[in-house]
Amino acid sequence: MWARGDYTQVGERLLPMGAALLDACERAVGGLTATRLVDAACGVGNVALQAAARGATVTGVDLTPELLALAADRADRAGHRIDWVAGDLADPATADRATSRGPADVVASCAGHAFVPDTAACTAAIAQMLRSGGLFAYTAWERWPDDPFGRPLAPYVSVCSPERMPFAWADEQVAESRLAPFFDDVRVEHRRHDWEFASARGAADWVLHVSPLHVAVVEGLAPAERAALRGRFVDAFTEHLDGDGAVHGARHTCW
């Protein structure tokens, strides 16, 4: 699924979030120079490349080979030496391969690991990657009532149990219960990440042609249904217009 659309464009919009996540990691461990860091569910390598630029020894892990190829190309062009591992983040074998040169000091995931369905296995594998006393830091999207990215999709998406939804990682009680067996100091912060588009129609077209999650839904619809869904996205984004007709759609995140 994640190879659909154009995740490179999505990644560009997540760059500030990845930088802020690494800022938090640096504050927690006293800098990233000479640390071993795993970018978990790395996508096109945003966190991996930024961590390498800050002096870390980096491994990127992702389920989708097409995204890893893009990440590797970006790293080569930037002159960073990064190891890339293709595999399921919930698989202990993937954790072994990601840390074949030694356990990680930091595992970081920017809006990535929360989409792994097997949350218990994923958490255990992340803990497996870390040295004793290591740091796991992540961001996850929070659920919010007027979300223009998700609300129009509701009729087309099968609803799984709440604890298996990606948003569950942004719930403090859920996060603490999942992490407590492996981590003895769990801290949660709530922030926001702003998405800006020139117009409501532009926002709707971006979502339906670029975002892998949305493209996966659209591909299964008849033309009339696609047009109707686009209309619902235009309406949803119109609620977030500013005085100049541009869209400012904040999405809340958990850290």
Side-chain angles (χ1 to χ4, degrees):
M1 177 184 70
W2 295 103
R4 292 179 167 90
D6 184 354
Y7 201 84
T8 299
Q9 290 191 48
V10 178
E12 289 175 356
R13 289 178 173 269
L14 298 182
L15 280 169
M17 187 188 297
L21 178 62
L22 289 177
D23 288 344
C25 291
E26 287 190 311
R27 290 192 297 271
V29 302
L32 295 179
T33 302
T35 63
R36 291 186 180 275
L37 183 144
V38 173
D39 181 0
C42 66
V44 293
N46 278 357
V47 169
L49 269 72
Q50 293 182 79
R54 300 185 189 209
T57 299
V58 181
T59 299
V61 179
D62 201 272
L63 182 66
T64 308
E66 294 90 338
L67 298 188
L68 285 177
L70 293 171
D73 180 65
R74 293 177 67 199
D76 289 343
R77 287 187 281 112
H80 296 311
R81 180 179 177 181
I82 297 174
D83 293 329
W84 305 103
V85 174
D88 185 345
L89 196 57
D91 186 348
T94 301
D96 284 340
R97 288 188 289 124
T99 54
S100 61
R101 299 188 184 186
D105 302 295
V106 176
V107 174
S109 186
C110 183
H113 89 290
F115 289 90
V116 178
D118 191 337
T119 59
C122 176
T123 308
I126 287 170
Q128 178 185 333
M129 296 182 200
L130 285 164
R131 63 166 175 80
S132 177
L135 171 71
F136 172 43
Y138 72 87
T139 67
W141 301 116
E142 291 190 53
R143 183 190 299 276
W144 51 297
D146 61 343
D147 176 13
F149 294 88
R151 196 176 71 225
L153 282 184
Y156 303 96
V157 178
S158 59
V159 178
C160 58
S161 57
E163 66 273 10
R164 293 178 64 87
M165 294 287 285
F167 302 111
W169 277 103
D171 182 290
E172 293 185 34
Q173 292 184 336
V174 172
E176 289 176 359
S177 67
R178 291 176 178 176
L179 297 171
F182 307 99
F183 300 94
D184 56 14
D185 183 11
V186 179
R187 305 178 187 180
V188 176
E189 298 179 23
H190 296 276
R191 303 189 185 184
R192 57 179 281 163
H193 179 72
D194 290 323
W195 296 72
E196 298 185 1
F197 301 93
S199 67
R201 289 183 174 84
D205 289 336
W206 187 93
V207 165
L208 295 174
H209 294 285
V210 172
S211 169
L213 283 170
H214 296 81
V215 171
V217 173
V218 170
E219 287 178 350
L221 300 181
E225 290 179 298
R226 294 184 185 188
L229 179 59
R230 181 181 182 274
R232 283 190 284 273
F233 271 107
V234 171
D235 291 342
F237 280 110
T238 297
E239 297 174 12
H240 295 268
L241 293 179
D242 63 15
D244 296 326
V247 173
H248 294 275
R251 298 196 74 183
H252 298 275
T253 58
C254 171
W255 297 67

